């Protein structure tokens, strides 16, 4: 079937809509009724179903169903240790984490910077050359300052929209690759899917693929291959490895608190002391389904990359076969379910 040509005003509408969609659909605080109505309109412009759950959210009752409760408990208990080691590596105290958690995580105190725009310019052609990101799939980039990163399917055929913060920071190696992983998964989906099905996909599958690609940002060798100077590549990769451990621990803590909300304050204090605000954890338990997908996605990504490393070595990402196999795995899903089938859990972030 012949696709309709893309009009210039279509592209302009998409570019303006993505920034507002990102804020509205991530459920950021302060959104009133008028904002929600605007979000529904913008979601329609971008090709999403209406009404729709925000990307990355599913009902909280899914959280207690995480299969390995022991792994959740052990991961959560590592949180204070991760923060302590991370602070030491940056040459600061744990008080810096308490004073400004976002700045700490972003790497503002790490003494090294990485430009996300330059990283995208280097990583996208490299991934296309490896046949990981299809040549014909275009990315519509929207640069924000400090808003969360997010990837959307859009109405324009053969295109995904990616919103990324443009502040230079070590953490951009993590979130740039994560969002490129989401774009890759979207590009691999059947182009004949209805718009609503392109918007909605099983969260665990989407996070699984994104977390495999995210691991590239944790590799100094990969960053070096993109032209990042050696010292910067080593320090950025180390920072992102700490962030990886922290996110796993935080996800586990959120899931544990979602399963027992009546003990939330006690659980947060016992696990993290005064490092984490219980109010923040309580807010995140409303997105427990998303955090469950992240936690399980990490486990799937670990097994996938371990298999690739065993077969192709530490530089598995240089082998086109690894990307073909990842595509096949994501299509089959963790239990043999096609990622192109209708999803009951709503879209991932």
């Amino acid at each position: 079937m012949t696709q309709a040509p893309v009009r210039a005003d279509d592209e302009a509408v998409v570019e303006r809509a993505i920034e507002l969609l990102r804020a509205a659909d991530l459920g950021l605080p302060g959104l009133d009724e008028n904002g929600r109505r605007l979000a529904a309109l913008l979601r329609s412009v971008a090709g999403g179903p209406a009404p729709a759950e925000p990307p990355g959210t599913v009902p909280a009752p899914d959280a207690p169903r995480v299969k390995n409760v022991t792994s959740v408990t052990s991961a959560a208990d590592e949180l204070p240790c991760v923060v302590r080691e991370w602070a030491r590596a940056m040459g600061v105290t744990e008080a810096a984490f308490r004073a400004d958690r976002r700045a700490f995580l972003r790497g503002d105190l790490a003494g090294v910077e990485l430009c996300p725009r330059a990283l995208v310019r280097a990583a996208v052609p490299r991934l296309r050359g490896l046949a990981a990101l299809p040549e014909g799939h275009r990315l519509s980039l929207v640069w924000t300052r400090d808003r969360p990163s997010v990837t959307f399917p859009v109405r324009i055929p053969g295109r995904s929209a990616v919103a990324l913060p443009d502040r230079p920071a070590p953490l951009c190696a993590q979130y740039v690759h994560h969002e490129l992983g989401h774009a890759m998964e979207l590009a691999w989906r059947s182009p004949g899917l209805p718009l609503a099905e392109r918007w909605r996909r099983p969260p665990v599958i989407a996070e699984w693929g994104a977390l495999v690609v995210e691991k590239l940002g944790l590799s100094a060798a990969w960053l070096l291959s993109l032209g990042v100077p050696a010292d910067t590549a080593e320090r950025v990769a180390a920072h992102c490895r700490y962030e990886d451990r922290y996110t796993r621990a935080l996800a586990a803590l959120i899931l544990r608190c979602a399963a027992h909300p009546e003990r939330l304050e006690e659980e947060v204090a016992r696990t993290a002391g005064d490092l984490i605000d219980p109010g923040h954890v309580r807010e995140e338990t409303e997105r427990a389904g998303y955090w469950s997908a992240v936690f399980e996605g990490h486990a799937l990504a670990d097994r996938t990359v371990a298999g690739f490393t065993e077969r192709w070595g530490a530089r598995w990402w240089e082998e086109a076969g690894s990307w073909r196999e990842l595509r096949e795995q994501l299509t089959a899903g963790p239990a043999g379910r096609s990622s192109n089938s209708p999803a009951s859990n709503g879209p991932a972030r």
Side-chain angles (χ1 to χ4, degrees):
M1 184 175 67
T2 303
Q3 291 180 336
V6 177
R7 304 192 313 269
D9 59 338
D10 285 336
E11 298 211 28
V13 166
V14 169
E15 296 293 345
R16 289 196 302 269
I18 292 305
E19 164 61 6
L20 291 170
L21 270 167
R22 182 209 47 72
D25 279 9
L26 284 177
L28 299 181
L31 193 65
D32 59 14
E33 182 60 29
N34 286 335
R36 283 189 286 274
R37 289 175 181 171
L38 178 60
L41 173 62
L42 293 175
R43 193 180 293 113
S44 175
V45 170
E53 295 173 276
T57 65
V58 295
D62 280 1
R65 299 177 196 167
V66 173
K67 298 176 183 64
N68 192 340
V69 177
T70 301
S71 69
V72 170
T73 301
S74 60
D77 288 344
E78 195 193 12
L79 195 147
C81 177
V82 173
V83 173
R84 188 179 310 116
E85 292 179 14
W86 199 354
R88 189 180 305 120
M90 285 195 288
V92 300
T93 67
E94 293 175 42
F97 179 89
R98 298 185 188 91
D100 193 336
R101 181 170 52 89
R102 289 185 64 193
F104 184 100
L105 300 177
R106 196 167 48 224
D108 292 356
L109 311 177
V112 63
E113 289 188 347
L114 185 63
C115 175
R117 293 174 184 261
L119 185 60
V120 169
R121 286 196 296 268
V124 169
R126 187 71 192 285
L127 290 170
R128 292 200 193 281
L130 293 166
L133 185 63
E135 287 285 352
H137 193 85
R138 296 181 62 192
L139 302 181
S140 177
L141 292 170
V142 178
W143 295 100
T144 69
R145 190 56 184 162
D146 287 321
R147 306 290 181 86
S149 58
V150 68
T151 299
F152 292 105
V154 294
R155 188 177 298 280
I156 297 175
R159 180 186 291 255
S160 298
V162 182
L164 293 166
D166 65 355
R167 178 199 290 261
L171 191 60
C172 78
Q174 180 260 38
Y175 58 72
V176 163
H177 285 97
H178 187 97
E179 299 307 329
L180 291 178
H182 280 311
M184 186 182 305
E185 189 267 338
L186 283 170
W188 285 347
R189 291 164 63 77
S190 170
L193 285 177
L195 286 171
E197 292 306 326
R198 283 201 291 136
W199 192 272
R200 298 173 67 83
R201 60 208 189 274
V204 171
I205 292 176
E207 291 303 320
W208 171 17
L211 288 164
V212 169
V213 181
E214 180 183 310
K215 287 181 181 293
L216 299 179
L218 281 59
S219 166
W222 167 263
L223 296 175
L224 276 167
S225 77
L226 298 182
V228 177
D231 181 62
T232 299
E234 292 286 351
R235 294 169 69 183
V236 165
H239 185 87
C240 291
R241 288 194 293 271
Y242 279 116
E243 195 281 340
D244 179 84
R245 291 172 57 195
Y246 171 83
T247 295
R248 294 172 190 242
L250 180 63
L253 176 61
I254 290 166
L255 292 174
R256 202 158 66 186
C257 289
H260 302 286
E262 74 284 357
R263 300 205 304 264
L264 185 145
E265 285 79 7
E266 175 187 345
E267 193 63 48
V268 172
R270 188 195 69 78
T271 301
D274 62 350
L275 285 175
I276 302 291
D277 178 8
H280 171 63
V281 175
R282 188 171 297 282
E283 287 179 1
E284 291 301 324
T285 59
E286 296 300 315
R287 301 198 307 151
Y290 162 73
W291 287 107
S292 176
V294 169
F295 193 84
E296 295 186 35
H298 269 295
L300 288 166
D302 288 346
R303 290 198 291 273
T304 299
V305 172
F308 290 169
T309 302
E310 183 177 355
R311 191 170 303 113
W312 289 294
R315 298 173 75 93
W316 58 267
W317 31 264
E318 292 182 329
E319 301 293 331
S322 64
W323 298 106
R324 285 196 301 271
E325 188 168 319
L326 178 61
R327 181 173 186 169
E328 292 169 0
Q329 289 181 12
L330 292 176
T331 300
R337 183 175 69 172
S338 170
S339 61
N340 287 344
S341 62
S344 59
N345 284 342
R349 72 175 180 179

